[in-house]
Amino acid sequence: MDVEQFRKAGYAAIDRICDYYTTLQSQPVSSSVQPGYLAPLLPTQPPTQGEDFSIIAADYDKYIMPGLTHWQHPSFFAYFPTAASFEGILGDLYATAAPHPGFNWSCSPASTELEAIVMDWAAKLLGLAPAFHNACGTGGGALQTTASDSALVAAVAARERFVSTHSESDAQTPLNSLVIYVTTQTHSLGLKAARVLGLQVRALEVTTEDRYALRGETLRAALEEDLAVGRKPFILMATVGTTSSGAVDNLPEIQAVLADYPEIWLHIDAAWAGIALCCPETRDELYLDAINAAADSFCTNFHKWGLVNFDASTLWVRDRLTLTRALDITPPFLRTAHGDSGAVIDYRNWHLALGRRFRSLKLWFVLRGFGVQGFQAHVRAGIKLNNTFNALLANSEVLQLITPPSLALTVFRAAPKSTPNGRAGAEAEIEKEKDGNELTHLNALNASFFARLARRPDLAITQTVLNGVFCVRFAIGAARTTEAHVRAAFEVIEEEARAVVKEDLEARETATAAVVHV
């Protein structure tokens, strides 16, 4: 393909993308293909000679599009949103047009320097303290692929700091005694980091009464118990906005406990909810002051709620030297005068891989294209839409809120009219259910309820389990979602809930009649 052929194909690609977003609302949210659908449609080996790109693009429409789940669809309410903005698309395009591995400053000076600048922009957008800014010279931030990578990088740094500062009889601390702390609601990234590093992990229990947040007394009891038997907790992965319920661990209490254990690294996983820190009114409930005072590292994903196309996970650390000491491997062929002098950042030492993409370009495009007010408006719109959904849910006779809504996330279940609505009523009812068979019965009912929802092509939604209670999650955040989409989704959800509750009541009546007859 020469320049003019590329120009023509590029125009056609932009047209296709524009058509895609123009017609997105009219498409099913989820793909209806079956596993293995693609292999019979494509050749078993690549073509011997190159094909005309118009044919390739047509085959994309014919074979690939039917297998896509449309995460940017306005009726996508599953998992958490995956951001997509035209500014981000163009940023990716420009970055791809001038590819480089980015492992040091010399690879492309603009890549490193822009990342340092936009990470400080992003830190200021979210209200992070100057200690986390690259400009301060001691802390700083770097772009990672995902929050899982950010957690793993933080664990590596925390392990290095702990081992280097602890000795037993002049010998290093045995690695098999080290323990990663998470909670029973922490994302699987904590368990995966432990598996990759070959370390122990302990999941601390959280309760319904505490809204699934880690409390200080639970942390202190676990620390005392583990230290008494020779285990050495070295990092706590606390969460601001858990995946299942949106819970926020009680960071002020955690801060108070860890003041007595300064060797323990506090990593904050705010992959989804951290973006909401751009709005000053959310900062108290998300404990920004405690983050700024106590966190050793903080992560949030701009590729979730933050309008930047996947992938763009942002990780900040309070002490960059701890991170780079843990990850700096510099063979002779990577040495440069600028790097040896310390005059520049070599971002290869801030993550696991050697090479890295020019992600900062799309973050720069998006931050400039939307500005602070645009970001705030986007986040506030999601929260407002979730409030609308909760107002509808509160008046439902067949739907029950399980835990208070978190920003733009709601967790609920189907339940008969006799089951109390609202948080206090739900919690009391669930506790009574656990003493008998009613919880098991309602969990089975809700598994059927979710199965009905999962089969529908007009919305996407996900399930979870909160301390034994089967629930359904409703997460808002797609840029094109409006109140009309939320109301339409609620009507579908309530319709399916009414159907499954009706079937359940009829089955119970039939069973009761059969017993009476006998």
Side-chain angles (χ1 to χ4, degrees):
M1 183 180 288
D2 61 27
V3 169
E4 290 307 316
Q5 289 172 322
F6 172 71
R7 189 190 308 276
K8 181 179 178 181
Y11 288 154
I14 294 296
D15 284 342
R16 272 191 166 88
I17 293 169
C18 292
D19 290 344
Y20 170 74
Y21 279 101
T22 301
T23 62
L24 184 58
Q25 180 171 324
S26 63
Q27 300 180 40
V29 182
S30 301
S31 171
S32 61
V33 302
Q34 297 301 310
Y37 89 98
L38 190 56
L41 302 177
L42 299 182
T44 57
Q45 58 189 18
T48 303
Q49 296 183 337
E51 299 176 308
D52 186 273
F53 194 79
S54 63
I55 298 174
I56 301 171
D59 283 351
Y60 170 82
D61 286 341
K62 186 186 302 182
Y63 301 130
I64 304 304
M65 283 291 290
L68 295 181
T69 295
H70 303 295
W71 286 59
Q72 287 73 47
H73 196 289
S75 294
F76 184 92
F77 303 107
Y79 304 106
F80 284 119
T82 294
S85 61
F86 293 131
E87 292 85 350
I89 291 172
L90 291 171
D92 249 348
L93 179 62
Y94 277 103
T96 302
H100 57 270
F103 50 76
N104 62 22
W105 180 87
S106 299
C107 282
S108 269
S111 178
T112 293
E113 297 198 8
L114 182 62
E115 182 157 346
I117 291 168
V118 298
M119 286 298 294
D120 282 1
W121 282 15
K124 293 172 183 177
L125 171 71
L126 302 179
L128 296 182
F132 291 106
H133 299 180
N134 286 301
C136 79
T138 53
L143 282 156
Q144 311 286 331
T145 52
T146 68
S148 296
D149 284 347
S150 294
L152 181 57
V153 166
V156 170
R159 182 184 64 179
E160 175 70 16
R161 185 179 78 175
F162 190 92
V163 170
S164 66
T165 56
H166 287 71
S167 62
E168 294 175 327
S169 303
D170 298 323
Q172 282 192 331
T173 300
L175 292 182
N176 61 9
S177 68
L178 298 183
V179 184
I180 295 174
Y181 272 9
V182 297
T183 80
T184 52
Q185 289 297 315
T186 302
H187 188 275
S188 57
L189 55 79
L191 297 175
K192 183 170 286 188
R195 181 172 295 185
V196 170
L197 298 176
L199 301 177
Q200 299 180 64
V201 63
R202 179 171 179 178
L204 308 182
E205 291 290 337
V206 294
T207 68
T208 304
E209 293 75 16
D210 290 329
R211 303 187 184 184
Y212 310 101
L214 177 63
R215 300 295 301 271
E217 59 188 15
T218 303
L219 174 60
R220 187 178 294 279
L223 287 168
E224 292 174 353
E225 179 182 310
D226 279 337
L227 292 171
V229 296
R231 290 192 287 267
K232 295 179 172 56
F234 72 100
I235 183 172
L236 166 63
M237 295 184 179
T239 307
V240 171
T242 60
T243 299
S244 285
S245 69
V248 178
D249 288 334
N250 195 311
L251 297 183
E253 291 184 3
I254 290 170
Q255 176 186 357
V257 172
L258 293 186
D260 297 331
Y261 301 90
E263 69 277 11
I264 296 177
W265 184 289
L266 176 59
H267 174 68
I268 306 296
D269 172 29
W272 161 69
I275 295 298
L277 289 169
C278 72
C279 299
E281 66 269 21
T282 71
R283 292 176 177 176
D284 286 344
E285 66 178 293
L286 300 181
Y287 299 129
L288 178 61
D289 287 346
I291 292 170
N292 282 332
D296 293 287
S297 54
F298 174 87
C299 165
T300 191
N301 289 346
F302 274 77
H303 63 238
K304 279 193 170 74
W305 208 0
L307 296 166
V308 181
N309 302 50
F310 190 86
D311 51 21
S313 181
T314 48
L315 173 67
W316 288 272
V317 293
R318 190 178 297 275
D319 179 5
R320 69 173 69 173
L321 288 180
T322 299
L323 179 62
T324 56
R325 277 197 300 265
L327 295 172
D328 185 0
I329 303 293
T330 305
F333 59 83
L334 290 180
R335 302 190 74 89
T336 65
H338 297 296
D340 289 347
S341 70
V344 298
I345 293 175
D346 284 339
Y347 272 124
R348 71 175 183 278
N349 299 324
W350 293 56
H351 65 132
L352 299 178
L354 173 63
R356 57 205 325 273
R357 298 181 64 239
F358 193 3
R359 298 186 191 93
S360 58
L361 195 61
K362 61 187 174 185
L363 180 55
W364 187 50
F365 278 27
V366 171
L367 287 173
R368 292 185 65 184
F370 283 85
V372 172
Q373 291 182 352
F375 259 85
Q376 292 173 338
H378 171 63
V379 170
R380 287 168 177 152
I383 295 172
K384 182 178 179 180
L385 290 175
N386 196 46
N387 291 338
T388 296
F389 182 81
N390 274 269
L392 295 169
L393 189 148
N395 292 320
S396 175
E397 295 183 345
V398 290
L399 295 171
Q400 178 191 52
L401 185 68
I402 292 299
T403 191
S406 175
L407 301 172
L409 172 67
T410 296
V411 184
F412 62 96
R413 67 176 178 178
K417 183 179 179 180
S418 59
T419 305
N421 213 328
R423 174 175 173 257
E427 287 181 359
E429 189 68 20
I430 288 168
E431 289 306 310
K432 288 195 295 183
E433 290 167 8
K434 290 180 179 179
D435 295 331
N437 297 321
E438 187 61 18
L439 179 59
T440 300
H441 178 82
L442 277 175
N443 281 348
L445 182 150
N446 276 276
S448 298
F449 170 48
F450 176 73
R452 298 175 72 107
L453 291 172
R455 289 193 293 267
R456 295 195 64 115
D458 48 353
L459 83 165
I461 201 165
T462 44
Q463 63 183 353
T464 193
V465 176
L466 289 175
N467 288 8
V469 179
F470 189 103
C471 315
V472 178
R473 298 171 67 261
F474 189 83
I476 299 172
R480 292 163 182 81
T481 300
T482 66
E483 182 175 333
H485 297 112
V486 170
R487 289 183 178 276
F490 178 82
E491 289 178 4
V492 167
I493 291 167
E494 189 172 47
E495 172 190 332
E496 297 292 5
R498 287 184 184 280
V500 77
V501 167
K502 180 181 178 183
E503 290 175 359
D504 177 69
L505 291 175
E506 289 174 349
R508 287 193 176 200
E509 290 171 357
T510 300
T512 300
V515 170
V516 171
H517 179 72
V518 171

